[in-house]
């Protein structure tokens, strides 16, 4: 009975709030008012049932009961699929090989539009994995990550316009310039953390965007920079279709290298220091870890990948302007890291792919697609706040040494 009352109140409240928008239609030609009560009643019925479902889900969550009980075989299959990247088995290698084969063949059998969408998705995978170093592994909340993305893109565009440097010469330069800006941001915020760090990084991102927007003599202002050449293939310029396919394979290779490097980084001494920094800064410093060096390493490594992605983005679009590097881009990349699972490489890759491809494939729903997109994100954060794929904590086990002193432990 309590659920019915809550659902009825929610329905009435929504009907009252939306009545001026959905229930009244003004005809400016005839100067008449049309009352559309059917739409308001339909909305109220929908809200009533959604509220009942919402309360039921929360009641099961409060009692620790799973929302959906999958069959035992299906549940084990899904669990195996999620934990597949953590297994060193033949099945894992076979699955990854099949996935790689599909990705290699895809641009040859799909349309130009599909190839472009996949290039954008893989670029955001690189960006999300780069931000995952600072946010997911090191625990530093960065809200201005798109600034490093812009630095890489404008580095290539400006060097090409001024000195005629090509893509391959500017690719490492773009990464290096992003590292310089990352260190420039890292030094002033060494003693900041949490909300204060987020505010400073947000301001840094806006400063970079405003400089690009107002320094018209160098960046072209809101008009941007156009006619940026794509990457050459052994010195030969390619046509649009061939160039798009070439960029696709280039980005695919960059994604693979990014995953390999970050996977190795997580298990290295630097990666373990970053994870210790995320868990507790005081304990991290007490263990003898140099906090300044670790934080600067996090910003440098994270910004480097954004610089590389920025150079590829400029080569792909052949035109850039400050409108491509707003705060919403930073928020989207951060959403990929949070939804995928903080510190999880597999989860971030899945979340980045979904968040980029879903709006494109939901275009059939027209104006409702972003509403569905936002609702899915809200539900995800309520019922799965740890992300799609959670990172298992590192465990250590002490065992007695064979043949050694009895008091010794490994």
């Amino acid at each position: 009975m309590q659920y019915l009352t809550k659902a009825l109140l929610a329905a009435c409240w929504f009907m009252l709030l939306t009545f001026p928008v959905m229930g009244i239609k003004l005809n400016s030609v005839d100067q008449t008012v049309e009352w559309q009560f059917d739409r308001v009643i339909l909305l109220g019925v929908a809200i009533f049932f959604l509220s009942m479902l919402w309360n039921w889900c929360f009641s099961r969550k409060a009692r620790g009961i799973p929302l959906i009980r999958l069959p035992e075989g299906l549940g084990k299959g899904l669990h195996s699929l999620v934990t597949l990247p953590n297994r060193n088995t033949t099945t894992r290698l076979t699955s990854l090989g099949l996935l790689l084969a599909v990705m290699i063949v895809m641009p040859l059998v799909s349309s130009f539009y599909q190839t472009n969408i996949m290039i954008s998705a893989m670029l955001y995978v690189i960006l999300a994995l780069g931000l995952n170093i600072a946010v997911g592994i090191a625990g530093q909340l960065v809200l201005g990550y798109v600034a490093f993305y812009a630095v890489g893109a404008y580095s290539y565009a400006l060097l090409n316009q001024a000195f005629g440097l090509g893509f391959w010469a500017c690719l490492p330069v773009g990464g290096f310039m992003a590292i310089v800006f990352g260190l420039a941001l890292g030094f002033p915020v060494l003693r900041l953390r949490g909300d204060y760090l987020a505010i400073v990084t947000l301001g840094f991102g806006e400063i970079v965007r405003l400089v690009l927007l107002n320094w018209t003599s160098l960046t072209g202002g809101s008009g941007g920079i156009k006619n940026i050449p794509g990457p050459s293939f052994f010195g030969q310029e390619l046509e649009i279709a061939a160039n798009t396919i070439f960029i696709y394979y280039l980005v695919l290779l960059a994604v693979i290298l990014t995953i390999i490097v970050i996977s190795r980084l997580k298990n290295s001494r630097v990666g373990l220091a970053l994870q210790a920094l995320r868990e507790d800064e005081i304990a991290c410093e007490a263990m003898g870890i140099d906090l300044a060096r670790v934080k600067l390493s996090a910003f440098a490594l994270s910004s480097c990948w954004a610089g590389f992605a920025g150079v590829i983005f400029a080569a792909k679009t052949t035109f850039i302007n400050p409108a491509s590097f707003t705060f919403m881009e930073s928020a989207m990349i951060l959403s990929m890291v949070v939804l995928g699972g903080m510190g999880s490489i597999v989860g971030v890759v899945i979340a980045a792919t979904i968040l980029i491809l879903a709006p494109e494939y939901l275009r059939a729903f027209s104006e409702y697609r972003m509403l569905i997109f936002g609702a899915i994100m809200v539900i995800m954060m309520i019922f799965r706040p740890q992300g799609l794929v959670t990172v298992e904590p590192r465990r250590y086990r002490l065992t007695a040494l064979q043949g050694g002193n009895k008091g010794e432990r490994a």
Side-chain angles (χ1 to χ4, degrees):
M1 188 63 184
Q2 183 182 4
Y3 293 159
L4 290 173
T5 304
K6 288 183 177 180
L8 186 60
L9 289 175
C12 294
W13 180 247
F14 267 88
M15 291 169 65
L16 180 63
L17 288 177
T18 59
F19 182 77
V21 179
M22 300 189 64
I24 301 176
K25 182 178 180 181
L26 300 178
N27 193 329
S28 58
V29 178
D30 300 335
Q31 295 184 353
T32 57
V33 178
E34 298 179 12
W35 305 95
Q36 299 178 335
F37 294 104
D38 54 336
R39 299 179 62 184
V40 179
I41 294 174
L42 182 62
L43 175 65
V45 173
I47 294 298
F48 176 80
F49 286 106
L50 287 175
S51 180
M52 289 287 293
L53 178 62
W54 187 269
N55 292 326
W56 176 77
C57 291
F58 265 102
S59 65
R60 292 179 67 88
K61 182 182 178 183
R63 289 179 290 173
I65 304 175
L67 298 179
I68 301 175
R69 291 186 180 274
L70 298 174
E72 184 176 355
L74 180 59
K76 290 182 178 180
L78 292 176
H79 179 72
S80 300
L81 182 63
V82 172
T83 59
L84 184 63
N86 298 325
R87 299 182 178 182
N88 188 16
T89 61
T90 306
T91 306
R92 171 195 175 191
L93 297 177
T94 304
S95 302
L96 293 177
L98 290 174
L99 177 60
L100 180 60
V102 171
M103 295 297 294
I104 292 175
V105 174
M106 200 207 77
L108 303 178
V109 298
S110 60
S111 63
F112 180 80
Y113 171 72
Q114 298 292 338
T115 305
N116 268 298
I117 292 177
M118 287 305 302
I119 292 175
S120 298
M122 289 190 292
L123 277 177
Y124 276 95
V125 167
I126 298 174
L127 290 169
L129 288 174
L131 183 60
N132 193 35
I133 298 175
V135 177
I137 300 178
Q140 306 297 303
L141 185 55
V142 179
L143 294 181
Y145 189 66
V146 74
F148 309 120
Y149 189 34
V151 168
Y154 271 89
S155 296
Y156 173 40
L158 293 174
L159 288 174
N160 178 264
Q161 297 289 331
F163 304 103
L165 296 180
F167 172 84
W168 299 108
C170 293
L171 184 61
V173 175
F176 176 75
M177 291 301 298
I179 291 176
V180 171
F181 275 77
L183 295 176
L185 172 63
F187 274 109
V189 301
L190 287 177
R191 297 184 178 274
L192 300 180
R193 55 184 173 179
D195 299 338
Y196 303 101
L197 176 61
I199 293 173
V200 172
T201 56
L202 173 61
F204 176 79
E206 286 300 301
I207 288 173
V208 171
R209 186 184 67 84
L210 291 174
V211 168
L212 296 176
L213 184 63
N214 293 289
W215 197 351
T216 56
S217 61
L218 180 66
T219 65
S222 59
I225 302 175
K226 57 184 179 179
N227 297 327
I228 304 173
S232 59
F233 184 70
F234 293 102
Q236 297 181 357
E237 298 294 333
L238 303 175
E239 298 180 355
I240 296 178
N243 185 65
T244 301
I245 296 176
F246 180 55
I247 292 177
Y248 173 89
Y249 288 123
L250 177 64
V251 178
L252 178 60
L253 178 61
V255 169
I256 295 173
L257 290 177
T258 304
I259 293 174
I260 294 174
V261 170
I262 295 180
S263 299
R264 300 287 294 177
L265 174 67
K266 284 185 63 177
N267 298 319
S268 66
R269 293 182 61 184
V270 176
L272 295 177
L274 293 175
Q275 295 175 56
L277 174 67
R278 176 190 63 196
E279 298 301 330
D280 193 321
E281 288 193 12
I282 298 177
C284 178
E285 189 174 14
M287 293 172 62
I289 298 176
D290 188 350
L291 290 184
R293 177 182 295 179
V294 172
K295 283 189 176 183
L296 291 176
S297 299
F299 280 104
L301 293 171
S302 181
S303 60
C304 178
W305 294 109
F308 291 147
V311 174
I312 299 174
F313 172 76
K316 170 185 174 290
T317 59
T318 70
F319 169 78
I320 57 173
N321 67 345
S324 301
F325 310 103
T326 61
F327 168 71
M328 289 307 299
E329 295 296 317
S330 294
M332 179 64 74
I333 300 169
L334 182 62
S335 300
M336 297 170 186
V337 176
V338 176
L339 290 178
M342 303 283 279
S344 171
I345 296 177
V346 178
V348 170
V349 172
I350 296 174
T353 305
I354 293 175
L355 290 183
I356 297 303
L357 297 182
E360 293 294 334
Y361 292 120
L362 288 175
R363 288 186 181 276
F365 295 94
S366 184
E367 56 193 28
Y368 297 103
R369 66 190 181 101
M370 295 310 296
L371 181 62
I372 298 172
F373 178 72
I376 293 174
M377 291 184 65
V378 171
I379 294 172
M380 180 71 188
M381 285 294 95
I382 292 176
F383 296 103
R384 185 75 178 178
Q386 67 270 31
L388 292 173
V389 181
T390 56
V391 179
E392 295 184 2
R394 184 180 294 270
R395 294 182 175 89
Y396 298 93
R397 184 175 60 184
L398 299 177
T399 57
L401 290 175
Q402 297 293 332
N405 297 328
K406 295 182 178 180
E408 294 179 352
R409 292 291 185 269

